[in-house]
Structures are given as C-alpha cells and as structure tokens.
Amino acid sequence: MAELNRLQAAFKQSTYQLANHGTRNAGVLKQAFEDIADDVESDLYGSGQVIEEFQEKMAAFLGKETAVFFPSGTMAQQIALRIWCDDKGLKRVAYHPLSHLEIHEEDGLKELHGIESVYLTDPDRVVELKDVAELDEEVAVVLLELPQREIGGQLPSFETLEQISHYCRENQIKLHLDGARLLEVTPYYEKSAAEICALFDSVYLSLYKGIGGIAGAILAGDEAFAKQSKVWKRRHGGDLISLYPYIISADYSFDERSGKMGQYYEAAKRVAALFNSCQDIATLPEVPVSNMFHVHFSHPKEEIEPVIVELEQETGIGLTSYLKEIDSGSCYFEMSMGDRYAEIPADLVQQAFKRLDQKMKERFSE
Amino acid sequence: MAELNRLQAAFKQSTYQLANHGTRNAGVLKQAFEDIADDVESDLYGSGQVIEEFQEKMAAFLGKETAVFFPSGTMAQQIALRIWCDDKGLKRVAYHPLSHLEIHEEDGLKELHGIESVYLTDPDRVVELKDVAELDEEVAVVLLELPQREIGGQLPSFETLEQISHYCRENQIKLHLDGARLLEVTPYYEKSAAEICALFDSVYLSLYKGIGGIAGAILAGDEAFAKQSKVWKRRHGGDLISLYPYIISADYSFDERSGKMGQYYEAAKRVAALFNSCQDIATLPEVPVSNMFHVHFSHPKEEIEPVIVELEQETGIGLTSYLKEIDSGSCYFEMSMGDRYAEIPADLVQQAFKRLDQKMKERFSE
C-alpha cells in the first residue's frame, strides 16, 4: 500500500468534502443491500429477474428498445463501436481526441478490435457539426461524449446535437453516445434522458458517477444491437455468472439520485462561482453545464499544494486530494458535485472560500 | 423471466440437494459482508488494501510471484494465452477440444486476439505426454485443464503432468493451467496447490466453484507476466473501479472452504458409487478424482426426466435441475459436491438411491 501524501492526508482528515457522494467503501454496498432479502436469487450469466428487470427499467428510462448491463463502460463502448464497424464493414470511428477510449483504455479498441480512430476536433473544444461534416475519412460511427469530461465537462448546444444526429442519419454514419454522465446534463439541456438518447443509435450510461453505484454500465440500443452486444460481452469475459452486487447497488443508487441531478448542477454553478472569486483561480467551464467542472490555478502544483493543505486543515473543508500538473506554471483538479455538498453548513463554505482567496493573495500578490 | 420447467420446479421444491454449496442468492453476499466494517475502503482500479492483500495471499497460496484478481476466468485465460503468444511471436495455442475457451466463450480468443487453436487429443480422454510431444504444429503455449470438466472431471496422473511440464520447458513452450477447479484436485493428487502450480508458467483459479465465492478469478505467474496481464485487463474492460464485492466474498469463501476439499472429494466418491448401484446409470469417471463427476443414463432424456421429478417429489432430495441430451438414447447431468451433501441425513440418502434404483427397474426392465 502506497503511503498517503500530504494533500491526500489533509483531504482525508477534513470534516467535510465539497465534491462527490462520499467515500467509496463497503458501507455503500451494505446500505444498498440492507433491505434486500437473503433469498433474492442471483442473476445467472445474464439471465434472471434481478438483471432482466433492471435492464428493462433502464431501457424504458433511456427510451431504447433494449438495455444490457455491463461490468464496465470500457467494455460496453468498445463493443458498441465494434458492432457498428462490423455492420458497415469499416473499422474506423471518429471521436474527440480526449475520449476515454483514446486516453484511458490502453488502446483496447485498437489492440482487441483492430479499430482505427480519427479525431473530430482539437483537444480543447467540444464537437461541432462541421467537425463531423468535414471529416477527411469515412467512418462507421461517431462517438460523442456528453459532457466532454477532460475539458471540464463542456457541452455542445442541443441544436448542435440535433444537427449532428440528422447529418449522421442522412449519411449512414451511426451515432453513439458516451453518456457516462448523461443524467448529469439533463438539467442544463432541460431534456429527459430519453429525449437526448433519441438522437443516438446506441447509448452508454455509467452507473457509478452521478448515480453513485459501485460499478457497472448500461449499453442500450435496438434489439439486434443488444443481442450482438451480449455475444461480445461473453467474448470480453464480461458475462459473469453473477453481476447482482453491482446491479442491486446501481438500482438502489439510481432510485436514490436520479432525481437529484438538478441539485448537483445548481451546486456546481455555486461552487464554481466561489472558486472564480479567488485570486488566480478559474474554473473550466466558467459556468458549469453539469455537475462537474475543473479548477485551474495559474501557479505550479508545488506552490498550490501547501495552500490547499493548509486550507483543509484550518477550515475542515476538503477541496481535493490531488493536483494535476498542466505545465510548469499551472495545475488543476476536477470537481463533481454530489450528495456531500448539501451536508456542509453554508457559512462554513463561504468562510472557506474567503480564506482561500486570502491565502492565494498572501502567497501570490506582489 | 422464463417459466421453470417440471424438473427445475421439482428440484427447487426439494428439501435437500445432493450437490453444490447452496442457492446462489443475495444471502451469499450478505453473509460474507456481515463482519466487514462500513469504512473498509474500496479498491480503486486495481489498487488499494482490499485487492492487494488478497492478491498477495493468493500468490503465496499458489506459490507464484504475483497474483492478479480478474472479474472472470474467460478474461483471465484469454489474456494469459495472449501474453505467451506475444512473447513467442506466434499466435497459436494447444488445448483439449472441450476446453472452456473452445466451447463456452463465443470464440473470444480468435475474435478478440486473433489466436488460433489446435486440439491436443480426442474429446473423450485426458491429455497425455505424447499429445504434446507429437503436435503437428508449433505452439506458443499449451493449456491443461485440471480436472477436465466436460468429460466428468478426469485427470492425467501427476507423473504425466511432470513429464508434460518438463517437455514444455525443454522445448520453449509455455504451460498454462486452467485451474478453475484446482483446489478440488489437490486431495486426489495428494499435493498442495503450490506443488501443482510449480509445473506451470501461469495459473488461473476460479473463486466461485469449489471455493464458492460470488464471481471472480485469479491469474498468477511471475512479475512481468502479471504486469502485462493488468494492461490487458484494462483493455478488456475488466479493470473496474471497484471489485471489492467479489474480492471480499472470495476471501471469505476461501477461508471457509479451502480446507474442505477432501470432504467434497470423499462425498463425490460415495455418491458416485450410489449412482452406479442403480440400473442403467453410470458415472463418468466411475470413481471420481475430484469433487465432480457426470451421471449418465442409457435412456432418452424424455424418459429419465419423469423418473427424477417423481424421485425428487417423493424423497425430498434434489438430484438435478436439468438433463442434457447426449443422443436420442442417452442423457446426463453434472454433479459437483459441496457443503450441501453433509446437511442431508445419511439414511435419507440411502433410501433415495434405493428408490431411484427401483424406479429405474420398474420403468426400464423387461
């Protein structure tokens, strides 16, 4: 076990934490199972009441014919893209250069599926219609991630989504939604999940981000797509004898939190404004469009770390457990608002940000 | 949800069941977590105390440098074979024609990894030294499954294993153990798991068969092998944010049952003898060499089904919930002895088999 560094330790010892739902621990599972009877039967290799009922519930929620539970989004999305590539007989897909598939999956799409990817845009902005319409190479499928996590969770307008969807349909390009944080964008768009999903041929939804389950994902689409996805799930080694520990906790968490996305979104806007009121701190985006944003500091990581450690120790409010270096002169961390923010007395939050601004001024003003 | 057929219903309603550990239900998870504190922290993408400690425990138990937890054996074994193939620059492996990889994984090895397989033997017998020594084509790795499940759980002699291991080392062929039921063969071989594993370069162990966890697998080998396997685990979508529901239950079940393999083996021999005492019933193997065996009937499935339904209803002892047709004149089912057998009063077992023999005689004697 790696020792905790100073920032991790200070964060862990803080009384309150601004972001997320809470510590990922055994209590999350035990709470979800508290009211589950011992004789509730396990799913069995993708069959059984516990998995089928949840899949039907998710299909209805997303407005798709069929939904399939997967152990992970990594598995679900590679499979979705593979199905659409096989469908067209063309192993090429297009996505944002900071897509999860491009930077977090050890090139699984290429190494396991032999699928080539082309970038839709520059890394620092969201996808627009022209990016899709002006692609140099033919592709089988376009993947859009809503919100675009690695740039702070930014979003194209809903009109842009409609235009891209229309263009793809006209041009026999499948459109896949990386909806890891789909529910989290519904308040900004003022659309239901199903209204957003209607623009896409296939949809992935994560069950442990805003929803706050333990792990797992949903892949939704039409019947034929779902059927193929189950074959690939088995090939990937994801058709486990029992997935109920994830399914039952996902179902519990979905019921618990799917109605709270507006609350998380409002919290994100409030807290981003507080960060932006501090010297040399700016959020990306400036005004969040979901429950998430990035907090950027225009100073080196080594100089910001002690400021945050001190602040967490003095105020008891944990901002972050890590800082990520952008370059030698700046750093950032990610915030995803969840249940915990509402547990903090409002005046403590105000005081903490006042103190943060003071500290930044003390350290960085001439 | 599919309706239960008559045999499934009769089995489910029986008071006792001869085989396995018990119903796969939420109670299995709840029991494993009963003494786990709420603040036990989740693993995080393969790191953290809960996963690292269990992996170290399994590495020590198997006598290997490193062990890695996987969500499934399907994933673990494809990855093991891929690593050894890449190592040799040759995408060809050899295994038994009824290997799990060949018949239960939708050709994942071929479809995801582009690996070709050659058969070591005819389907109806275990692998011998000459099968490996006389392979027509060069292979990167040989996979041996102990016991060979699809033929009732048969085993080569330990001397044969030693010879194959020696031959493979001499000839730069890697040797991989499909040890889905590894612990279950230790009483017959009178060897420890580590003594068996010492003959192999890499080892897969299932955590939900004899051990009786919820799901999950261990893949063990040297440090370099383990490191590569983690990269492939991520590519497959198996590097979940949290695997602790499986790990904690596997650890609990391992402590509970790893010492009981001798008991299950003895029960298998006793129960197989009882089946063999009945008219037109024969087990494969005749004398089990692990906790498992197959029960063969020399009559059509449609004629055996009512016999078993009646027997289960009359005696309250469940033999099986299914019958698998071999051809129009014979059928079989699989038995894996576990905790449940010891719960049945011995005289009830004797009476049930007497009744089974009577019924078979009544129905099938001229």
Side-chain angles (χ1 to χ4, degrees):
Chain A
M1 289 292 301
E3 289 263 318
L4 296 185
N5 64 34
R6 281 189 66 205
L7 187 49
Q8 288 169 330
F11 181 76
K12 204 171 171 177
Q13 282 153 28
S14 59
T15 313
Y16 299 103
Q17 288 88 32
L18 278 181
N20 299 320
H21 298 310
T23 309
R24 297 183 58 86
N25 60 27
V28 174
L29 181 137
K30 296 185 81 164
Q31 192 178 352
F33 274 79
E34 203 165 63
D35 295 331
I36 302 295
D38 279 3
D39 65 357
V40 168
E41 276 184 38
S42 173
D43 52 311
L44 196 70
Y45 298 116
S47 298
Q49 194 172 340
V50 72
I51 188 165
E52 289 168 24
E53 279 186 5
F54 184 65
Q55 289 177 163
E56 283 160 22
K57 178 173 169 174
M58 289 298 102
F61 177 77
L62 299 172
K64 292 291 179 199
E65 217 169 270
T66 317
V68 181
F69 184 91
F70 276 81
S72 73
T74 296
M75 193 184 293
Q77 295 209 106
Q78 284 181 28
I79 288 172
L81 298 188
R82 175 64 183 262
I83 292 169
W84 296 138
C85 282
D86 284 353
D87 206 43
K88 192 166 188 159
L90 172 67
K91 285 200 168 185
R92 195 180 303 121
V93 304
Y95 50 53
H96 192 278
L98 299 180
S99 165
H100 195 274
L101 288 114
E102 191 65 18
I103 63 174
H104 291 305
E105 302 182 9
E106 296 279 4
D107 277 335
L109 190 69
K110 195 179 299 169
E111 297 286 341
L112 286 172
H113 294 283
I115 293 175
E116 184 190 333
S117 59
V118 298
Y119 296 157
L120 283 167
T121 68
D122 295 330
D124 58 355
R125 63 173 181 83
V126 296
V127 178
E128 299 295 339
L129 174 62
K130 70 170 172 50
D131 301 316
V132 178
E134 294 169 8
L135 274 172
D136 288 336
E137 297 179 273
E138 198 189 1
V139 298
V141 48
V142 163
L143 176 148
L144 295 185
E145 182 186 349
L146 305 179
Q148 198 71 52
R149 180 207 180 169
E150 299 293 339
I151 49 172
Q154 299 182 53
L155 285 176
S157 71
F158 195 75
E159 292 63 40
T160 297
L161 295 185
E162 289 177 317
Q163 288 163 2
I164 293 175
S165 175
H166 182 75
Y167 178 88
C168 285
R169 271 173 208 175
E170 293 275 295
N171 290 276
Q172 287 76 51
I173 299 168
K174 296 291 180 185
L175 190 58
H176 172 79
L177 170 57
D178 178 342
R181 296 165 181 79
L182 168 61
L183 271 64
E184 293 88 318
V185 305
T186 53
Y188 171 77
Y189 281 140
E190 297 181 324
K191 302 283 180 193
S192 70
E195 285 171 318
I196 299 170
C197 291
L199 304 176
F200 295 84
D201 298 291
S202 55
V203 172
Y204 144 64
L205 170 72
S206 171
L207 297 166
Y208 66 85
K209 294 180 178 81
I211 293 170
I214 294 172
I218 284 293
L219 184 63
D222 67 22
E223 188 69 39
F225 172 83
K227 200 173 159 190
Q228 289 180 75
S229 80
K230 288 179 184 177
V231 173
W232 283 108
K233 179 162 82 157
R234 176 153 285 236
R235 288 174 178 152
H236 265 253
D239 190 21
L240 273 56
I241 185 168
S242 295
L243 286 163
Y244 73 85
Y246 298 132
I247 296 167
I248 287 175
S249 72
D251 196 22
Y252 175 87
S253 300
F254 180 85
D255 291 346
E256 196 75 4
R257 300 202 180 90
S258 56
K260 292 191 184 171
M261 297 296 150
Q263 170 194 324
Y264 304 152
Y265 170 48
E266 293 304 321
K269 287 189 285 188
R270 262 199 306 278
V271 174
L274 288 166
F275 275 115
N276 287 317
S277 72
C278 299
Q279 169 148 343
D280 298 345
I281 304 181
T283 68
L284 180 71
E286 193 186 339
V287 180
V289 291
S290 71
N291 73 323
M292 75 166 289
F293 55 90
H294 287 178
V295 181
H296 285 254
F297 299 84
S298 52
H299 297 283
K301 178 180 160 170
E302 311 77 58
E303 293 180 24
I304 296 300
E305 193 170 281
V307 175
I308 297 183
V309 168
E310 280 173 37
L311 184 91
E312 291 181 343
Q313 288 171 342
E314 283 175 31
T315 66
I317 295 190
L319 304 188
T320 183
S321 62
Y322 75 95
L323 286 166
K324 209 164 161 179
E325 186 175 278
I326 297 169
D327 53 40
S328 61
S330 61
C331 61
Y332 83 102
F333 65 88
E334 182 173 286
M335 291 282 290
S336 295
M337 304 308 293
D339 291 342
R340 287 206 283 204
Y341 179 69
E343 297 160 10
I344 318 176
D347 56 329
L348 290 191
V349 175
Q350 295 292 339
Q351 284 162 31
F353 277 96
K354 236 178 235 166
R355 197 73 196 92
L356 177 61
D357 184 40
Q358 278 173 1
K359 281 183 176 294
M360 290 295 289
K361 288 200 169 95
E362 280 163 26
R363 193 169 288 241
F364 299 110
S365 297
E366 315 293 303
Chain B
M1 289 290 302
E3 289 264 318
L4 296 184
N5 64 34
R6 281 190 67 206
L7 186 51
Q8 287 170 329
F11 180 77
K12 204 171 171 178
Q13 281 153 29
S14 58
T15 314
Y16 300 103
Q17 289 87 30
L18 278 180
N20 300 319
H21 299 310
T23 309
R24 298 183 57 85
N25 61 27
V28 174
L29 181 136
K30 296 185 81 165
Q31 192 177 353
F33 274 79
E34 203 166 64
D35 295 331
I36 302 295
D38 279 4
D39 64 357
V40 168
E41 277 185 37
S42 173
D43 52 309
L44 197 70
Y45 298 115
S47 297
Q49 194 171 340
V50 73
I51 189 165
E52 288 168 25
E53 280 186 4
F54 184 65
Q55 289 178 161
E56 283 160 22
K57 178 174 170 175
M58 289 297 103
F61 176 76
L62 299 171
K64 293 290 178 199
E65 218 169 87
T66 318
V68 181
F69 184 91
F70 277 81
S72 74
T74 295
M75 193 184 293
Q77 295 210 106
Q78 285 182 28
I79 287 173
L81 299 189
R82 175 64 184 260
I83 292 170
W84 296 137
C85 282
D86 284 354
D87 207 43
K88 191 166 188 160
L90 172 66
K91 286 201 169 182
R92 194 181 303 123
V93 304
Y95 50 52
H96 192 278
L98 299 180
S99 165
H100 195 274
L101 290 114
E102 191 66 17
I103 65 174
H104 291 305
E105 303 183 7
E106 296 278 4
D107 277 337
L109 191 69
K110 195 179 300 170
E111 297 287 341
L112 287 172
H113 294 283
I115 293 175
E116 182 189 335
S117 58
V118 297
Y119 295 157
L120 283 167
T121 69
D122 295 329
D124 58 354
R125 64 173 180 83
V126 296
V127 178
E128 299 296 340
L129 173 61
K130 71 170 172 50
D131 301 317
V132 179
E134 293 169 8
L135 274 172
D136 287 338
E137 296 179 273
E138 199 189 1
V139 299
V141 50
V142 164
L143 176 147
L144 295 185
E145 181 185 349
L146 303 180
Q148 198 70 52
R149 179 205 181 172
E150 300 291 339
I151 49 172
Q154 299 181 53
L155 285 175
S157 71
F158 195 75
E159 292 65 41
T160 296
L161 296 185
E162 290 177 315
Q163 288 162 4
I164 292 175
S165 175
H166 182 76
Y167 178 87
C168 285
R169 272 173 208 177
E170 292 276 294
N171 291 277
Q172 286 77 52
I173 299 168
K174 296 291 181 184
L175 190 59
H176 172 79
L177 171 57
D178 178 342
R181 296 165 182 80
L182 168 62
L183 272 63
E184 293 89 318
V185 305
T186 53
Y188 171 76
Y189 280 140
E190 298 182 321
K191 303 282 179 193
S192 69
E195 284 170 319
I196 299 169
C197 291
L199 304 176
F200 295 85
D201 297 290
S202 55
V203 173
Y204 145 63
L205 171 71
S206 171
L207 298 166
Y208 67 85
K209 296 181 177 80
I211 293 169
I214 295 172
I218 284 292
L219 184 62
D222 68 22
E223 188 71 38
F225 172 84
K227 199 173 160 188
Q228 289 180 73
S229 80
K230 289 180 185 177
V231 174
W232 283 107
K233 179 161 83 159
R234 175 152 286 235
R235 287 175 179 153
H236 265 254
D239 190 22
L240 273 56
I241 185 169
S242 294
L243 285 164
Y244 74 85
Y246 297 133
I247 296 168
I248 287 174
S249 73
D251 196 21
Y252 175 87
S253 301
F254 180 85
D255 290 348
E256 195 75 3
R257 299 201 183 91
S258 56
K260 291 190 184 172
M261 297 296 151
Q263 171 195 322
Y264 305 151
Y265 171 47
E266 294 304 323
K269 286 189 287 187
R270 262 198 306 278
V271 174
L274 288 167
F275 275 114
N276 287 317
S277 72
C278 298
Q279 170 149 341
D280 298 345
I281 304 181
T283 68
L284 181 71
E286 192 186 339
V287 179
V289 292
S290 71
N291 73 322
M292 76 166 289
F293 56 91
H294 287 178
V295 181
H296 285 255
F297 299 83
S298 52
H299 296 284
K301 177 179 160 171
E302 311 76 57
E303 294 180 24
I304 296 300
E305 194 171 279
V307 175
I308 297 183
V309 168
E310 281 173 38
L311 185 93
E312 292 182 340
Q313 288 171 343
E314 283 175 32
T315 66
I317 296 190
L319 305 188
T320 183
S321 62
Y322 74 94
L323 286 166
K324 209 164 162 179
E325 185 174 279
I326 298 170
D327 53 41
S328 61
S330 60
C331 61
Y332 82 101
F333 66 87
E334 182 174 284
M335 292 281 291
S336 295
M337 304 309 294
D339 290 344
R340 286 205 283 203
Y341 179 69
E343 297 161 9
I344 318 176
D347 56 329
L348 290 191
V349 175
Q350 294 292 337
Q351 285 164 27
F353 277 97
K354 236 178 236 166
R355 196 74 195 91
L356 178 60
D357 184 40
Q358 279 173 0
K359 282 185 176 294
M360 292 294 288
K361 286 200 171 96
E362 281 162 25
R363 193 170 290 243
F364 299 110
S365 297
E366 315 292 304

